[in-house]
Amino acid sequence: MEDSIGGSSSNDNNIIKEQDRLLPIANVGRLMKQILPQNAKISKEAKETMQECVSEFISFVTSEASEKCRKERRKTVNGDDICWALATLGFDDYAEPMRRKSRTKIQEASTNQNDLC
Amino acid sequence: MTSAHDLTDNEDDGQQQSESQIQSPSANGISDPDISTQNVNVQYATPGQLGTGHAMVPPVYPYPDPYYRSIFAPYDTQPYPPQAYSGQPMVHLQLMGIQQAGVPLPTDAVEEPVFVNAKQYHGILRRRQSRAKAESENKVIRNRKPYLHESRHKHALRRPRGCGGRFLNSKKDENQHDDVTSADKSQSNINLNSNKNDQTSSDRTS
């Protein structure tokens, strides 16, 4: 699927498609269903609202991380920047579990490398 | 702030792509150009009149005026006010918890101040400018399409359906049809299935 380059100011005809701006609604619905009891129902309106919320949250946190990278003259936003942005924006309760998850992934990668050697 | 965005765009193509995605606005419900104009004006007027260290917390939405709804756009989806009201207590409680850690201060230039978490103030302003820029440059589609591909939509229309409007001989579809709308209305089921087929296509592509 071709992605439209939305940031270019010279291309006024480019339109950010819905599928590029939002997470897939089926995946959002599935995540919402995991936390609910077995017989619970979720309206389409609820899924669309949650779709907007989570997509905006991603842009919000990533924008904060990107600003930090800009100040430090770095081009790549990494996982630590995201954790830092979560803490900076006041989401401390989420930043710590995310850090632990990131470390687990790094350890797994190291283990795989050792197995290959 | 605009020069900052330009610098970011000049650094890297990958970064530029992520920036363009970051700048995508989420205010899908604002279809009235007047409201959009007001929203843009408010967004650009705010930085010049306010200093640092301000905080905002989204209150309940008692205002029927669309002007106030546009002000609260960063926190809520415009086209679903009733659902927003029912969902608001959860968000409000969470933000109240965060507010205890931060310092809430009145910040908005409009008649009634809006309180936010002090830590998030600059991020909110940056996001507002990004959304305004994306709207002015990219003409983001505001109305949701019922489906993306005509051929898939027609295929879904041709599939046999059982009682209640659900597709026959498909366990995967049965697992995904849990929402009230698809259970009640056959017509809505058509749109839902088309959307899910399109999402499956998106998953396959990614």
Side-chain angles (χ1 to χ4, degrees), chain B residues 146-166:
Chain B
Y147 51 84
L148 292 178
H149 307 102
E150 181 72 19
S151 59
R152 291 165 182 254
H153 174 63
K154 289 181 176 177
H155 169 70
L157 287 177
R158 270 184 252 109
R159 291 184 66 180
R161 299 166 185 269
C163 62
R166 298 188 180 182

Side-chain angles (χ1 to χ4, degrees), chain A residues 21 42 48 52 64 66 75, chain B residues 19 25-26 80 126 179:
Chain A
R21 184 174 65 86
I42 308 175
E48 290 182 352
E52 298 277 350
E64 187 75 16
S66 171
K75 297 181 177 179
Chain B
E19 280 292 335
S26 67
Y80 309 108
R126 183 169 53 243
D179 45 298

Side-chain angles (χ1 to χ4, degrees), chain B:
Chain B
M1 187 61 69
T2 305
S3 62
H5 284 292
D6 293 337
L7 288 178
T8 309
D9 289 341
N10 291 333
E11 284 180 359
D12 190 3
D13 288 341
Q15 188 68 28
Q16 184 176 0
Q17 287 182 2
S18 65
E19 280 292 335
S20 67
Q21 289 178 359
I22 290 170
Q23 294 167 357
S24 302
S26 67
N28 197 20
I30 303 180
S31 58
D32 192 343
D34 293 337
I35 297 177
S36 175
T37 306
Q38 287 182 354
N39 199 16
V40 172
N41 290 336
V42 170
Q43 287 172 359
Y44 283 117
T46 309
Q49 305 182 17
L50 296 169
T52 60
H54 293 267
M56 305 173 81
V57 169
V60 194
Y61 294 87
Y63 312 114
D65 196 342
Y67 180 63
Y68 288 99
R69 279 195 272 114
S70 67
I71 295 174
F72 304 142
Y75 300 95
D76 208 345
T77 307
Q78 297 292 323
Y80 309 108
Q83 187 65 38
Y85 294 154
S86 63
Q88 188 65 34
M90 301 296 295
V91 179
H92 200 274
L93 289 179
Q94 182 176 349
L95 287 180
M96 290 297 291
I98 298 175
Q99 182 183 357
Q100 295 174 3
V103 178
L105 289 175
T107 172
D108 211 330
V110 200
E111 301 171 0
E112 303 203 12
V114 178
F115 293 84
V116 300
N117 189 329
K119 300 176 178 177
Q120 302 175 10
Y121 177 70
H122 298 289
I124 290 169
L125 291 188
R126 183 169 53 243
R127 282 295 302 152
R128 286 179 175 177
Q129 295 192 13
S130 299
R131 284 196 296 268
K133 182 181 176 184
E135 285 180 6
S136 62
E137 289 181 354
N138 306 318
K139 309 169 186 176
V140 180
I141 298 177
R142 300 174 180 279
N143 299 323
R144 287 172 174 266
K145 301 175 181 177
Y147 51 84
L148 292 178
H149 307 102
E150 181 72 19
S151 59
R152 291 165 182 254
H153 174 63
K154 289 181 176 177
H155 169 70
L157 287 177
R158 270 184 252 109
R159 291 184 66 180
R161 299 166 185 269
C163 62
R166 298 188 180 182
F167 288 144
L168 296 175
N169 304 325
S170 179
K171 287 188 176 180
K172 180 181 178 183
D173 286 341
E174 286 175 0
N175 289 335
Q176 288 183 354
H177 295 167
D178 273 5
D179 45 298
V180 179
T181 308
S182 67
D184 294 338
K185 300 177 181 179
S186 173
Q187 192 168 7
S188 301
N189 201 7
I190 296 172
N191 293 333
L192 284 174
N193 294 326
S194 302
N195 286 334
K196 286 174 180 174
N197 287 334
D198 298 332
Q199 299 306 328
T200 306
S201 167
S202 301
D203 293 343
R204 259 188 253 133
T205 305
S206 61

Side-chain angles (χ1 to χ4, degrees), chain A residues 65 68 74 77-86 99 102 106:
Chain A
K68 178 177 188 272
R74 289 192 282 112
V77 178
N78 54 41
D80 289 340
D81 295 325
I82 301 296
C83 293
W84 177 89
L86 282 171
R99 277 207 182 88
S102 298
I106 295 174

